[in-house]
Amino acid sequence: MASLHVLEAGLCTSVQDLGRPGQAALGVARSGAADTLSLRLANRLVGNEDGAAALELTLTGGRYRVQGGARVALAGTPMELRLHAPGAAPCMLAPFTPHDLPEGSELEVGPARMGARACLALAGGVQQDEVLGSRSVHLPSGLGGRALRAGDTLRLHSLPRTPARAGLDAAAQAEVLAWLMAAHVRATEGGHADRFDEPARALFWGSAWRVGSQGNRMGVRMEGPAVRPPGEGRLPTEGMPLGAVQVPRAGEAIVLLCDAPPTGGYPVIACLCAADLPRAAQWRPGEQVRMVPVAPEEARRITRERAARLDALCPPVAASRVPA
């Protein structure tokens, strides 16, 4: 069994797969990778199923030593990859490309140059124990583990004997990064949209929002105009979908991400299109973002087309064991 030893863990690095969908009745958040597009792509590049557990890197990467050899690929926000192999000069590795790392080598992952998150996939996936059908770490509760620290060791499968896939060419990389760094996200009206008065709805959809400094895997607080919510910003608690845009009493917008609780009581004015959730995972404080309204049928079409395009750029290895 190969392993990955953590020399430097980065700002917030954790093991994530496609999460725990369908556990909301138990009060369990979905969790999983915040940017599932990058997780799927990185896994496909190393020959994994889409739902294999990988490392999610946030803003900074870290430094890791390979024992037993490993095949790796990085997808998501651009981060420099530098390989320190025994007996060889350090060299740079291309992103969106699988690389076979020899025994005893060290992989140094630099900070994000734009965006916020990347996924580092390893052939065979990270082999930590499953909790409720997933290896994902839910950081707020500690379900499934915690963020990585220097000195941790992760179990991996041995280096596969199959030939590595080709990486994405420059045009394909540019297309993926355009998805992840777009200046807008598309959203449908939320479950409480009709309770907001017309001036409040017009203000919400017509404004440019600024990504605030208060944000993590649970959600992102957006800065902008004060949108007056119904019910003074409090309604009876109910289920909250991933990507819900809540408006509490103060009138700011809060976008719920993968670690958010499955219930909430703030009015929901909008819900991000599933295809644009990876974009929200890449927001950095200070970015300007617009929310573009689309009908539910349009949102479903966009999501289907995005999935088909990803399959064309990098076909899946097999059907994911964990539903998307």
Side-chain angles (χ1 to χ4, degrees), residues 45 95-97 166-177 309 313:
L45 287 168
F96 297 100
T97 303
L168 297 190
D169 61 25
Q173 291 186 36
E175 185 173 356
V176 171
L177 289 175
R309 184 57 183 156
L313 292 175

Side-chain angles (χ1 to χ4, degrees), residues 64-161:
Y64 309 89
R65 180 183 296 121
V66 172
Q67 301 295 335
R71 178 173 295 162
V72 304
L74 185 79
T77 182
M79 292 179 167
E80 286 190 350
L81 288 175
R82 187 182 299 272
L83 175 64
H84 302 263
C91 63
M92 303 300 297
L93 302 180
F96 297 100
T97 303
H99 301 280
D100 287 343
L101 308 187
E103 158 71 27
S105 60
E106 294 183 6
L107 183 66
E108 182 181 359
V109 188
R113 298 196 299 272
M114 58 181 178
R117 293 181 173 90
C119 288
L120 182 69
L122 303 108
V126 177
Q127 298 304 301
Q128 68 181 23
D129 294 338
E130 292 187 354
V131 179
L132 294 176
S134 170
R135 293 184 170 92
S136 289
V137 173
H138 181 249
L139 294 173
S141 69
L143 184 69
R146 54 165 171 76
L148 295 183
R149 301 171 185 164
D152 289 344
T153 298
L154 303 173
R155 293 179 291 120
L156 310 172
H157 278 301
S158 298
L159 183 68
R161 297 180 180 179

Side-chain angles (χ1 to χ4, degrees), residues 187-215:
T188 61
E189 287 195 333
H192 307 129
D194 59 353
R195 303 192 190 187
F196 288 79
D197 60 31
E198 182 56 35
R201 292 197 299 270
L203 185 61
F204 172 80
W205 293 110
S207 299
W209 294 88
R210 180 184 173 91
V211 179
S213 59
Q214 294 181 305

Side-chain angles (χ1 to χ4, degrees), residues 292-307:
V292 178
V294 295
E297 297 79 8
E298 177 72 0
R300 287 190 285 269
R301 182 190 64 79
I302 291 168
T303 299
R304 288 194 301 268
E305 290 181 353
R306 176 65 54 80

